Amino acid sequence: MNPLKPGSTIGILGGGQLGRMLSLAAAQLGFDVAIYTDEPDSPASRVSARTRVGNYLDEAALADFARHVDVVTTEFENVPAETAQALIAAGARVAPNPHALAVAQDRFDEKSYFTSAGIATPPFRAIGSQEDLDAAIAEIGAPAILKTRRFGYDGRGQIRIASAGDARGAYEKLGAPGILEGFCVFEREVSIIAARGWDGAIAFYDLNENEHAGGILSRTTLPARVGADVERAAQDAAKRVMEAFDYVGVLTIEFFVMPDGSLVANEMAPRVHNSGHWTIEGALTSQFEQHIRAVAGWPLGSTKRLAGVEMVNLIGEDAEAWPALAADADARLHLYGKRDTRAGRKMGHVTKLRF
């Protein structure tokens, strides 16, 4: 792909905070951004050149959108893979490709792919009935976690099963096809953020160490407390995934670090990621600029980390502390422009660099 010239238009599917930060990064490089979303008055729309509000399966609307953009990318993984395919059929270049989106949208397919690529995962089984769940518990054991195969995020669509007795009625409560995953007794959680260009060039950011509360990422710190061998293993896994999918853009894989130092893959996200928000201030090239560079056919930027980093998410009413955070000379505050504050909703984040 020839590099897009400044002034070209990048289409983004989705109007959330990741789309907002992608749009801001694209503007810095001289691009216009067009948002396609099913949400009126979205955070990304308010910082972008234009917005098309429509259904993600409206082929006529997607075809019209494709005619007015030079490349299309996504800001969240649950945009239907059919949407990306319809855009390609209408003549658009789309990155990442529909195959990567489809695999990442289904937890069973994702875990199956990791296994086929030689990447370790927790033990898992597909669950389509209470009988499947009972059989899987008998095989995998408890504790375990029952998750929906699709559309779960930030702890939603998950049921913790501490003992076999907890499995009674759990499938009906889940209310959708699921996957049972064995519980991992791990030392810490980490994520690798990588980028790949149309030309196959790959760049890695330093490994993130992550803490979760209530299933939602609460804090990311760097450097991660792991050895160089762990970091190389994470990079190798990400490289294999991106090359297998002929992937273009930023991709994230979350891992559990086991007591023996081995890595167990939890999930992947075919997009920029919450654990990479630190890169806005903490790296020479943010993950958002990197993603725009990749999909636009530009050379990838330097991923050099500038300092030690702590990034804290502002969840729900946490964002009400913005006056104090704005007054903190050591804090860099980011608010996402969401109109309503709700419990469990990501409203912003704050980053501190430690030199």
Side-chain angles (χ1 to χ4, degrees):
M1 171 179 169
N2 293 325
L4 296 183
K5 295 179 180 179
S8 301
T9 299
I10 295 176
I12 298 177
L13 302 176
Q17 69 263 19
L18 299 180
R20 182 184 180 96
M21 288 182 274
L22 283 169
S23 184
L24 292 170
Q28 279 191 301
L29 299 181
F31 295 115
D32 288 342
V33 168
I35 300 294
Y36 190 102
T37 177
D38 59 2
E39 176 189 2
D41 190 36
S42 68
S45 298
R46 295 197 298 276
V47 300
S48 300
R50 60 181 184 272
T51 297
R52 175 71 179 259
V53 178
N55 188 293
Y56 286 117
L57 298 178
D58 184 337
E59 293 188 6
L62 291 168
D64 182 67
F65 185 72
R67 286 192 290 271
H68 294 90
V69 297
D70 297 290
V71 69
V72 180
T73 190
T74 58
E75 67 109 28
F76 72 113
E77 66 266 41
N78 287 323
V79 170
E82 295 90 342
T83 302
Q85 198 62 61
L87 287 163
I88 291 171
R93 286 177 293 197
V94 177
N97 60 56
H99 181 46
L101 293 175
V103 171
Q105 286 168 5
D106 186 301
R107 286 189 169 107
F108 180 77
D109 291 347
E110 181 181 71
K111 291 290 193 304
S112 299
Y113 171 75
F114 283 148
T115 300
S116 71
I119 300 170
T121 72
F124 65 96
R125 296 292 181 273
I127 306 299
S129 67
Q130 184 64 42
E131 290 73 22
D132 287 346
L133 178 57
D134 293 339
I137 288 289
E139 183 178 357
I140 292 175
I145 301 176
L146 178 63
K147 303 178 180 179
T148 56
R149 285 181 63 154
R150 299 174 64 85
F151 301 119
Y153 64 97
D154 288 346
R156 297 171 177 85
Q158 300 186 16
I159 299 173
R160 186 177 293 271
I161 297 176
S163 66
D166 292 339
R168 287 192 293 270
Y171 181 74
E172 181 179 358
K173 183 178 179 182
L174 190 71
I179 177 174
L180 185 76
E181 297 180 7
F183 188 76
C184 288
V185 181
F186 56 88
E187 286 195 340
R188 56 185 49 87
E189 297 177 53
V190 298
S191 58
I192 185 74
I193 295 176
R196 184 173 183 269
W198 291 97
D199 61 355
I202 294 175
F204 300 102
Y205 289 92
D206 287 356
L207 204 61
N208 312 303
E209 183 168 339
N210 303 320
E211 299 173 20
H212 290 74
I216 303 174
L217 179 66
S218 61
R219 182 171 176 262
T220 294
T221 55
L222 290 95
R225 293 170 295 169
V226 300
D229 56 337
V230 174
E231 187 136 7
R232 283 193 297 269
Q235 291 178 354
D236 178 65
K239 182 174 184 289
R240 276 184 279 161
V241 169
M242 290 190 296
E243 289 181 343
F245 284 121
D246 195 17
Y247 191 89
V248 174
V250 166
L251 175 128
T252 306
I253 305 179
E254 298 177 350
F255 296 97
F256 302 124
V257 182
M258 304 305 287
D260 64 358
S262 63
L263 290 175
V264 173
N266 179 31
E267 62 184 23
M268 69 178 182
R271 54 170 171 80
V272 290
H273 194 259
N274 193 174
S275 66
H277 291 354
W278 66 268
T279 61
I280 298 173
E281 287 86 21
L284 282 178
T285 308
S286 77
Q287 65 166 346
F288 301 100
E289 179 183 333
Q290 193 78 291
H291 187 79
I292 296 299
R293 282 173 167 268
V295 302
W298 284 30
L300 298 181
S302 169
T303 59
K304 180 181 178 180
R305 179 167 54 86
L306 302 176
V309 186
E310 177 188 50
M311 187 282 295
V312 176
N313 271 336
L314 302 176
I315 308 297
E317 293 184 354
D318 293 347
E320 299 303 316
W322 66 264
L325 293 169
D328 184 346
D330 295 324
R332 301 298 298 169
L333 176 63
H334 297 260
L335 296 172
Y336 301 151
K338 295 182 178 180
R339 303 293 195 194
D340 301 316
T341 301
R342 297 195 298 268
R345 193 179 199 196
K346 294 174 181 174
M347 302 299 295
H349 72 269
V350 61
T351 302
K352 293 185 178 182
L353 302 185
R354 307 196 184 283
F355 294 96

